[in-house]
Amino acid sequence: MIVTIDGPAGAGKSSAARSLARRLGFRFLDTGAMYRAVTLAARERGLDLTDGAQLAELADRIHVELVDDRVLLDGRDVTTAVRKFEITDAIHYAADNPAVRTQLVGWQRAAAANHDVVTEGRDQGTVVFPDAQCKIFLTADEEERARRRHADLHSRGEQIPFDEVLANQRLRDHRDRSRSVGALVKAADAIEFSTDGLTPDEVVAQLEKIVRSKQ
Ligand code: C5P
């Protein structure tokens, strides 16, 4: 069974999807981590991110693996490095690149082949797994999302002012919604679910109910 969870940045998708996968005994796919790893690899090599062809060629050459909540870039653990604000800020170059997207869609389908998965991103229910049995569109109030992202960065030692986190999120939401391929949009058959006012445990319990009702 494929369960897709799409939605804007900071809606709580990653932690909810990870816990849900654990409860169901499914594989968890953090597709944002793939876009992050491509961006990190480009940054480390000093590539010009605006050079779309070079970026696509790089995505073709590197090997990104998601193993037990870890992100491996050519076998090296980059779990912490990919979540840095600097990477988040530059991710749109990879996310807006159609050739990079095609490549990553391939990685995502390969990772899900012959497995039960909970996959999380922006285009999972629309582009990558249009036939998924259970599609969820997770949302939350904009300021609440920015507060969570701010606290998350703070806990990782990155002191970014709240206003900057909020502005960056607005820009990312806008870019995610308006890109020509793989745009963030609710699939017609997705169930919209707001995490506002719910604890992480309550969110996972509700999501599990939704999935069980589709099994
Ligand atoms: O989910 P996360 O915040 O890690 O995703 C980082 C960025 O990667 C998103 O803002 C989005 O631009 C991009 N992304 C995407 N398609 C996906 C997952 C993430 O374009 N399936």
Side-chain angles (χ1 to χ4, degrees), residues 6-7 122 125-126 135-139 177 183-193:
D6 292 305
R122 304 291 185 286
T126 48
K135 299 182 185 179
I136 293 160
F137 194 79
L138 216 62
T139 61
R177 291 200 160 95
L184 171 65
V185 56
K186 178 183 165 299
D189 52 349
I191 294 170
E192 184 160 345
F193 185 84

Side-chain angles (χ1 to χ4, degrees), residues 31-32 35-36 95 101 122-124 149 172 176 179:
T31 64
Y35 288 90
R36 290 174 179 277
R101 296 203 76 89
R122 304 291 185 286
D123 56 350
Q124 299 301 289
R149 184 67 69 170
R172 207 146 59 100
D176 284 349
R179 71 172 48 96

Side-chain angles (χ1 to χ4, degrees), residues 190-208:
I191 294 170
E192 184 160 345
F193 185 84
S194 165
T195 61
D196 283 343
L198 298 176
T199 65
D201 281 350
E202 288 168 339
V203 171
V204 178
Q206 291 298 322
L207 295 183
E208 188 178 359

Side-chain angles (χ1 to χ4, degrees), residues 22-140:
R22 203 168 291 140
R23 278 203 198 188
L24 296 167
F26 285 15
R27 177 176 274 199
F28 168 57
L29 220 58
D30 175 0
T31 64
M34 295 178 173
Y35 288 90
R36 290 174 179 277
V38 171
T39 305
L40 177 71
R43 269 282 151 93
E44 286 181 341
R45 286 161 177 79
L47 284 198
D48 174 4
L49 290 166
T50 64
D51 185 334
Q54 265 200 47
L55 197 56
E57 198 258 324
L58 174 71
D60 198 31
R61 261 188 297 131
I62 58 174
H63 187 60
V64 177
E65 268 179 296
L66 306 177
V67 183
D68 297 337
D69 298 351
R70 309 262 93 198
V71 187
L72 303 182
L73 170 58
D74 291 327
R76 183 168 45 101
D77 191 331
V78 294
T79 314
T80 308
V82 294
R83 301 217 67 85
K84 285 201 180 289
F85 189 71
E86 180 221 322
I87 297 299
T88 306
D89 206 29
I91 219 153
H92 59 100
Y93 295 105
D96 286 346
N97 184 313
V100 170
R101 296 203 76 89
T102 302
Q103 181 77 19
L104 271 54
V105 167
W107 295 355
Q108 292 154 20
R109 289 187 181 143
N114 305 316
H115 289 283
D116 290 317
V117 296
V118 175
T119 181
E120 176 257 306
R122 304 291 185 286
D123 56 350
Q124 299 301 289
T126 48
V127 174
V128 188
F129 302 106
D131 299 327
Q133 292 96 314
C134 180
K135 299 182 185 179
I136 293 160
F137 194 79
L138 216 62
T139 61

Side-chain angles (χ1 to χ4, degrees), residues 147-197:
R147 267 194 294 278
R148 285 182 197 152
R149 184 67 69 170
H150 183 247
D152 181 49
L153 285 163
H154 199 267
S155 73
R156 295 165 198 270
E158 290 206 76
Q159 318 290 344
I160 314 285
F162 175 78
D163 287 351
E164 197 178 332
V165 175
L166 180 61
N168 170 280
Q169 178 184 279
R170 282 193 178 135
L171 190 61
R172 207 146 59 100
D173 282 353
H174 175 71
R175 283 183 172 136
D176 284 349
R177 291 200 160 95
S178 55
R179 71 172 48 96
S180 59
V181 276
L184 171 65
V185 56
K186 178 183 165 299
D189 52 349
I191 294 170
E192 184 160 345
F193 185 84
S194 165
T195 61
D196 283 343

